[in-house]
Amino acid sequence: MEVERGVQANIGSLSHSNEQIEPEAAVPTCHNGTVSEIPTIDLNDPDQERLTGAIAEASQEWGIFQVINHGIPSELINKLQGVGREFFELPQEEKEAYARPRDAKDIEGYGTRLQKEAEEKKSWVDHIFHRIWPPASRNYLFWPKNPPSYREVNEEYANCMRGVVDKLFRCLSLGLGVEGHALKEAVGGDELEYMLKINYYPPCPRPDLAPGLVPHTDLSSITILVPNDVPGLLAFKGDRSIDVNYIPNALIVTIGDQIEILSNGKYKAVLHKATPHKEKTRISWPVFLDPPADMVVGPLPQLVNGKNPPKYEAKKYKDYVHFKLDELNKKWLLF
């Protein structure tokens, strides 16, 4: 899951200060120098120590990186993109058949933000949410039946993604100096939920009036994203934003709030945002790795001692989500 965040969590709580990043604030984009591109990591690097170090460093310094040679076939990624694009090109009434019920407490289903919002701004994005793993969590009521191969492709993608997820969690754990299974177990182990979201940004005649998704960090532990080739994803580093360059078949990995909490602040949840394009359709396929709702998440005990006290309060994931969303200005809720 994802949510706007303009500030960092305070020590000892999950509250926020009053310092905020305005959704339309002009943030300089860095194209030159040492921070012009986010790290790119070869996930098939045979040197496991080097791979672990690269992922740990990127997660500390950036909170975002791209992985190549990840093992998911390029043909499958192309199919994933194809069936997703076909769904959003359907007539509106067909898409509405999968709409999130108005009284639903869950976020699964189709929704649209191609409408006026507060202060005459437009969010300018369609989306659909549904869980793709574990199999028991799938609710096929929210899985499009058209195109006919949508279900098969998404199930295959979920199966292939499991190996990527396990490798990322293992490297992140080892990078903290704990056992390789520690972080994945701390977010649910085999009950970890993969929530797929497809964001569909059609060409926007006035991008300056359509912020897309405002600056935010993800509520999840990790997010793994497939983009199309249209630019529009920005990552914030200090007082600058960096364009996330498109690399064919690469996966974009972002550190979310739960990993920042579990690492007691060593790994950083990245502030990022998405924007529409004036002439082209931008689409992205993030998968949010969410702990089960009742899973209690707090700093790993192995990382906490008298010299390094806990910086975050342990909470059930559902309570963390409710707390954080409740604090935000309701006009900027993202679902």
Side-chain angles (χ1 to χ4, degrees), residues 106 108 130-143 151 155 158-159 162 190-194 292:
D106 199 70
E108 287 192 284
H130 59 75
R131 292 179 180 84
I132 59 174
W133 193 267
S137 71
R138 294 170 178 162
N139 185 347
Y140 290 114
L141 290 175
F142 297 113
W143 289 49
R151 175 169 169 174
E155 288 179 347
N159 286 331
R162 294 171 61 201
D190 291 339
E191 295 182 4
L192 180 70
E193 295 183 347
Y194 297 22

Side-chain angles (χ1 to χ4, degrees), residues 20-31:
Q20 298 210 352
I21 295 177
E22 294 299 326
E24 274 72 54
V27 182
T29 300
C30 183
H31 295 286

Side-chain angles (χ1 to χ4, degrees), residues 3-5 20 323-330 333:
V3 66
E4 172 190 4
R5 188 179 91 175
Q20 298 210 352
F323 178 89
K324 191 169 182 180
L325 293 182
D326 191 54
E327 282 198 326
L328 296 173
N329 190 324
K330 296 299 188 278
L333 284 182

Side-chain angles (χ1 to χ4, degrees), residues 13 34 59 109 139 188 198 201-202 209 213 296 329:
S13 73
T34 58
S59 300
N139 185 347
I198 307 177
Y201 304 89
L209 295 180
L213 295 181
V296 176
N329 190 324

Side-chain angles (χ1 to χ4, degrees), residues 39 63 72 81 102 113 125 142 151 190 203 218 239 245 272 306:
I72 300 179
Q81 294 173 315
R102 290 184 177 274
R113 305 285 284 184
V125 60
F142 297 113
R151 175 169 169 174
D190 291 339
D218 294 337
D239 62 350
N245 294 332
H272 58 287

Side-chain angles (χ1 to χ4, degrees), residues 87-286:
F87 169 73
F88 282 98
E89 292 173 351
L90 293 173
Q92 187 64 26
E93 58 270 20
E94 288 193 49
K95 292 183 288 187
E96 291 289 349
Y98 303 96
R100 173 179 176 262
R102 290 184 177 274
D103 58 349
K105 295 182 180 180
D106 199 70
I107 64 173
E108 287 192 284
Y110 168 79
T112 182
R113 305 285 284 184
L114 298 177
Q115 58 190 11
K116 288 187 177 181
E117 292 188 337
E119 300 178 5
E120 299 300 315
K121 303 294 184 182
K122 290 176 180 285
S123 190
W124 206 265
V125 60
D126 277 4
H127 66 258
I128 190 168
F129 279 104
H130 59 75
R131 292 179 180 84
I132 59 174
W133 193 267
S137 71
R138 294 170 178 162
N139 185 347
Y140 290 114
L141 290 175
F142 297 113
W143 289 49
K145 295 180 180 179
N146 189 11
S149 60
Y150 185 95
R151 175 169 169 174
E152 176 186 356
V153 169
N154 278 266
E155 288 179 347
E156 184 180 356
Y157 182 64
N159 286 331
C160 288
M161 179 170 283
R162 294 171 61 201
V164 176
V165 170
D166 287 347
K167 182 172 284 190
L168 289 172
F169 273 115
R170 175 176 172 78
C171 289
L172 287 167
S173 296
L174 294 175
L176 292 172
V178 299
E179 294 184 351
H181 57 78
L183 282 176
K184 186 177 179 184
E185 287 188 359
V187 291
D190 291 339
E191 295 182 4
L192 180 70
E193 295 183 347
Y194 297 22
M195 176 70 83
L196 172 73
K197 182 185 184 187
I198 307 177
N199 294 304
Y200 182 87
Y201 304 89
C204 179
R206 289 291 305 276
D208 57 315
L209 295 180
L213 295 181
V214 296
H216 66 282
T217 60
D218 294 337
L219 290 163
S220 57
S221 59
I222 302 172
T223 302
I224 302 174
L225 180 144
V226 169
N228 70 348
D229 59 355
V230 177
L233 178 60
L234 299 175
F236 292 83
K237 185 173 175 61
D239 62 350
R240 293 186 177 273
S241 65
I242 297 90
D243 294 306
V244 179
N245 294 332
Y246 172 72
I247 301 175
N249 298 314
L251 303 175
I252 299 171
V253 180
T254 61
I255 300 300
D257 293 349
Q258 305 313 305
I259 291 295
E260 179 174 324
I261 292 168
L262 285 163
S263 71
N264 205 31
K266 184 173 182 179
Y267 295 146
K268 306 301 182 185
V270 64
L271 190 69
H272 58 287
K273 70 170 291 184
T275 57
H277 193 276
K278 186 174 183 179
E279 299 174 349
K280 300 179 181 179
T281 296
R282 182 176 179 273
I283 316 177
S284 65
W285 289 258

